[in-house]
Amino acid sequence: MVRKYMMKIVIVGGGISINAAANLVPLSLKAPNGLSVLRDLNEELFARVTNSGYPVSHFNLASARGWSLARLAATNQSDPELHTVLAGRQCLWECLREHVPDSAIADHKVVAEVAYTNSQRPIVRFAEGSPDLEADLVIGADGVKSVVKRSVTWDGKQDKHPAVFDGLVGVGGFIPSSDLSQQEPRGRMTVTFGGHGFFGYGACTTASQSNHFAQCTAPMGKEAVWWSTYETTDLPDTRNFDKEDILRQLKTRHAKWRDPVIQKIVDEAVIDSIYPNWIIPELPTWYKGGMVLIGDAAHAMQPSSGQGTSQGFEDAQILSVLLAHYLERHYSHSAPRARLPIPANVSEAVDQACKKFFEFRRPRVKRIVDRAKHMGDTKRKKGVFEEWLSYLILWIMGM
């Protein structure tokens, strides 16, 4: 029997993971583990997301000097196997947004702080003076500059774990897929490493008649995507920067890279935006008294992980399952094991769910963050010895 319980949840933020979370409560790479969450959530949504992007079966790791270093699988071990899907982030957001009712969204509200009432329930206060919202649970899905995180990690004086600029900046854009090689194999995404940064490209749409459901490769559509990463000591102003200078730097960095596709993309590139990489230092906790962090608010990681979106999906799924489990135990007054305490009230059930969520998710996220940091370091400036050493390591990875 499906039970429905009355509780008030306020979600701060509107990113990828919380669109998934809102469905789960009863450029973007989507790795197979994230796609599995979508399939568990809603088959129609899974089909819509997967078929809106390009299925990637393998990554081609190459050097700026023109050598192919490794071919790494981009699929999982399920039956049938799922491919990674490369698609625009806005496209993914729109697919998820279609499954969230308008009535659940409070538009144009800026959260000033999350605090506590005299009865120690979380309360959300707004910058523009809208009425406060009191809740049983506040979910912080508000990204690297999370307001909710400040409340969770606040020591009475300051946020001890602010977001950190990691010294890497991304640029990129969309291009016609005809700019890629005429011999471009199906399912390939190319990532190239050099002494002065990183460059990646690949198709991000399929032919209109393709319904691949991430289970096979498909012919390219009309659109592809490229991105490049470079190191800088100064945090750039994303709203006020010299586009022509960024373009000149892009062309200088990749002038001697031997891939003709990269040369064609760089020659025709137009720079509209830049994307500084922000990360969240490892937090001592993701929850505190009716507040919990998910996605980038809890563990923003370097884009080299290829797991940012998928980890947000996993957060949403696990938190939802645990909330349902502990609320069921409270309302049914039963525990599957005699030694487990039964939550005395909704607040206690929420706290137990959030505690278990953090304990369960933290080890996996930490492994991914550590691996992403290592991969991110390969995008930084390197001397000749470091460059060749990185090629050797990547070649060994593909053996």
Side-chain angles (χ1 to χ4, degrees):
M1 180 178 69
V2 176
R3 298 176 184 266
K4 291 187 177 180
Y5 309 120
M6 294 300 295
M7 65 178 296
K8 188 170 185 178
I9 299 176
V10 174
I11 300 167
V12 179
I16 297 300
S17 58
I18 208 55
N19 276 276
N23 280 281
L24 277 166
V25 172
L27 173 56
S28 178
L29 271 177
K30 276 75 75 181
N33 54 307
L35 293 176
S36 295
V37 173
L38 289 183
R39 187 167 55 184
D40 292 343
L41 169 62
N42 184 295
E43 287 283 353
E44 180 185 347
L45 175 61
F46 169 78
R48 175 92 163 79
V49 169
T50 54
N51 292 324
S52 69
Y54 183 72
V56 177
S57 62
H58 66 280
F59 301 107
N60 174 45
L61 306 188
S63 78
R65 299 171 185 268
W67 307 320
S68 182
L69 301 173
R71 175 187 167 119
L72 301 181
T75 58
N76 66 359
Q77 302 301 314
S78 63
D79 185 18
E81 66 183 11
L82 287 178
H83 292 54
T84 295
V85 173
L86 181 61
R89 189 176 183 86
Q90 181 65 23
C91 179
L92 172 61
W93 188 91
E94 289 172 355
C95 290
L96 292 167
R97 175 63 181 86
E98 291 171 3
H99 289 258
V100 179
D102 292 344
S103 59
I105 299 175
D107 286 329
H108 309 300
K109 291 185 181 293
V110 177
V111 175
E113 67 170 345
V114 183
Y116 288 104
T117 65
N118 291 334
S119 59
Q120 293 303 298
R121 293 188 75 203
I123 186 169
V124 178
R125 297 195 172 103
F126 298 99
E128 74 281 3
S130 298
D132 297 343
L133 286 179
E134 191 174 328
D136 296 297
L137 173 64
V138 174
I139 300 177
D142 46 344
V144 294
K145 302 295 182 66
S146 171
V147 175
V148 182
K149 180 177 72 67
R150 290 206 301 266
S151 298
V152 170
T153 63
W154 188 258
D155 67 351
K157 298 180 180 179
Q158 62 180 346
D159 178 3
K160 297 182 67 175
H161 305 277
V164 176
F165 171 55
D166 75 349
L168 295 174
V169 179
V171 295
F174 294 96
I175 55 174
S177 60
S178 56
D179 285 358
L180 305 185
S181 170
Q182 295 293 323
Q183 290 76 42
E184 184 74 9
R186 281 192 184 186
R188 183 171 79 172
M189 185 173 77
T190 297
V191 288
T192 304
F193 300 86
H196 300 280
F198 163 94
F199 201 101
Y201 63 82
C204 61
T205 60
T206 58
S208 59
Q209 72 274 17
S210 299
N211 289 311
H212 54 82
F213 303 102
Q215 296 174 7
C216 61
T217 58
M220 291 188 298
K222 295 181 179 180
E223 198 167 49
V225 65
W226 69 271
W227 62 100
S228 173
T229 303
Y230 65 94
E231 185 177 15
T232 179
T233 56
D234 300 318
L235 173 63
D237 184 345
T238 57
R239 296 183 180 180
N240 183 25
F241 66 95
D242 187 337
K243 297 179 181 180
E244 292 302 317
D245 182 55
I246 296 296
L247 182 58
R248 283 193 296 271
Q249 291 181 41
L250 176 73
K251 291 182 176 182
T252 299
R253 279 195 307 275
H254 301 294
K256 296 183 179 180
W257 291 34
R258 296 188 177 179
D259 185 338
V261 174
I262 292 178
Q263 293 305 316
K264 181 176 178 60
I265 292 172
V266 169
D267 285 345
E268 300 176 359
V270 176
I271 304 297
D272 292 319
S273 302
I274 55 176
Y275 309 94
N277 287 357
W278 292 90
I279 59 174
I280 297 291
E282 186 174 355
L283 301 180
T285 183
W286 298 350
Y287 71 97
K288 183 177 76 172
M291 305 178 198
V292 65
L293 306 173
I294 67 174
D296 282 354
H299 47 68
M301 55 189 70
Q302 290 182 335
S304 53
S305 69
Q307 280 287 322
T309 298
S310 293
Q311 290 310 300
F313 285 165
E314 288 188 10
D315 282 350
Q317 183 180 48
I318 298 302
L319 178 60
S320 300
V321 169
L322 288 170
L323 282 171
H325 171 73
Y326 283 97
L327 287 168
E328 170 71 21
R329 284 173 52 187
H330 164 62
Y331 282 101
S332 65
H333 302 288
S334 65
R337 298 177 184 173
R339 294 184 179 179
L340 293 179
I342 298 172
N345 49 49
V346 170
S347 178
E348 191 171 305
V350 166
D351 285 347
Q352 289 183 16
C354 292
K355 179 176 184 293
K356 184 60 68 174
F357 166 70
F358 175 64
E359 292 173 348
F360 184 83
R361 291 286 297 144
R362 186 187 197 185
R364 171 167 168 76
V365 168
K366 187 178 187 309
R367 288 194 298 271
I368 293 171
V369 167
D370 290 345
R371 186 167 67 241
K373 183 181 184 305
H374 172 73
M375 288 299 295
D377 287 343
T378 64
K379 301 178 182 180
R380 301 183 188 277
K381 293 179 183 177
K382 297 180 285 291
V384 174
F385 175 77
E386 291 176 305
E387 179 185 354
W388 283 74
L389 180 61
S390 69
Y391 294 158
L392 176 61
I393 293 171
L394 291 170
W395 178 72
I396 292 172
M397 286 173 58
M399 294 181 64

